Amino acid sequence: MTRFLGGARYPPAFWLLFWGTWISATGGSMVWPFLTLYLRQRLATPLTQITMLLTLNAVTGLVTTAIAGLVVDRFGRKGAMVIGLLGSGLVMLGMIPAASLAAWAALMALMGGLGPVYWVGGDAMVADLIEPSQRASAYALLRMIANLGVAVGPAIGGFIVSASYTLAFILGGLAQILFAALVLLRVRETRPSTPEGPRPLRRGEGYEIVLRDRLFLAFCGLYTLAGMAYALMMVLLPVHVKENYGVPERLYGFIMTTNAAMVVGLQYGITRLAGRFPALSVLAVGALFYALGVGSVALGRSFPAFLFSMVLLTIGEMLMIPTATTLTANLAPPAARGRYMSAYGLTWGLGFRGGAGDRRAVARSGRAHGHLVGRGRDGPPGRAGIPLARAPIPTGLGPGRGAPVS
């Protein structure tokens, strides 16, 4: 393994997080790609209400992301990770008997809130464990193994849910609980110690330290804009290619499989190569690939052209995400890494909310020009399965892992 990694060596705790991420991602993705179908059958409710459940999940995730950093910096990384994973596992088990819209609203809100608690703590712990020169490669490895889990999980889950949704929920929940137990029993706390012990936060110890960092704030603002382009591509592309050019779901699925396969096979090598250059230069090149990927969709007329657009976007994704997470970790003072990771996580959430707003604007334009979104049909993108496929997976897959999951 060390030879494969180009001589890089990581502590045992990192490798536990590495394999635990695979367990968690595989287990979670056995359930989530099929959740909309399950809710439709279980609740016999309109699709609009199911979409509201996914929105509630995303909103609570944003709220929790905003406060998770304070908790992680104040009380430690390990406890937050255990709570996030254990809570997610119990919520998945709680989905088995849930039979009402109110119960599912509570469960989806809890699930959305627990995910950031884990990944903010996890990304901060990786920054604590790994020296700055190796952080980009470490985040790339975690992202690679998470995408492998998300590629394998639905394939297994498809067979399981065809026999029993209950079994899928049990296995998914147990995967999160198993990872929580491994963290609890085998990982030590890495938060920088404070001799005075627990105490209330003093002035300047909340998010003021983040708000005073002008370089980091500028990075967050620009990264949010990049996230909007990424979200626009992921939300709009399936509708565009199906309704305008007749590309069926089975071929679009191959486009998304290509995205995941590229991350699994190429992420680590690309990150090692990118590490030879300044982080801001890498981010600029990554943003350029985002622009080329999204912009080229307007020129495409066939499946190969849209596949090429996704390849361009994925190259940008592989350049940007580990580099951005590493930049965040390197800019953060050791005692404030959780708060910096929370702020960084918000850029992705806000970018996807903004990207959804862009989708509506494009849809209005489509009614006038009949080109980009179904020749004037402004139908919900969920008809092509994107909110389902890109739904938050409760596996600790924050921005450093590739959120949303590819």
Side-chain angles (χ1 to χ4, degrees), residues 83 105 157 293 320 377:
I83 290 172
M320 291 197 73
R377 292 190 293 269

Side-chain angles (χ1 to χ4, degrees), residues 114-193:
L114 287 165
V117 174
Y118 166 77
W119 68 254
V120 170
D123 281 348
M125 177 173 282
V126 171
D128 296 337
L129 289 170
I130 308 298
E131 62 184 49
S133 64
Q134 298 291 336
R135 281 175 187 160
S137 297
Y139 287 123
L141 283 169
L142 290 172
R143 187 162 190 274
M144 179 192 76
I145 199 66
N147 274 270
L148 179 61
V150 172
V152 170
I156 300 173
F159 288 102
I160 294 174
V161 300
S162 65
S164 171
Y165 271 97
T166 296
L167 179 59
F169 283 119
I170 290 174
L171 293 176
L174 290 179
Q176 315 311 317
I177 294 172
L178 173 60
F179 190 13
L182 290 174
V183 173
L184 178 64
L185 299 175
R186 304 294 297 175
V187 176
R188 63 177 178 83
E189 177 57 61
T190 63
R191 181 180 68 96
S193 59

Side-chain angles (χ1 to χ4, degrees), residues 32 35-36 39-40 43 45-60 100-112 391-392:
W32 279 86
L35 188 61
T36 302
L39 289 172
R40 183 80 161 149
L43 300 179
T45 189
L47 189 61
T48 52
Q49 293 187 346
I50 295 174
T51 304
M52 288 175 62
L53 292 176
L54 296 176
T55 300
L56 178 62
N57 177 276
V59 169
T60 54
S100 68
L101 186 64
W104 274 97
L107 290 169
M108 293 295 281
L110 281 171
M111 187 65 82

Side-chain angles (χ1 to χ4, degrees), residues 17-38:
L17 296 179
F18 178 85
W19 293 113
T21 296
W22 179 74
I23 293 170
S24 181
T26 302
S29 60
M30 284 194 301
V31 173
W32 279 86
F34 310 99
L35 188 61
T36 302
L37 294 173
Y38 177 76

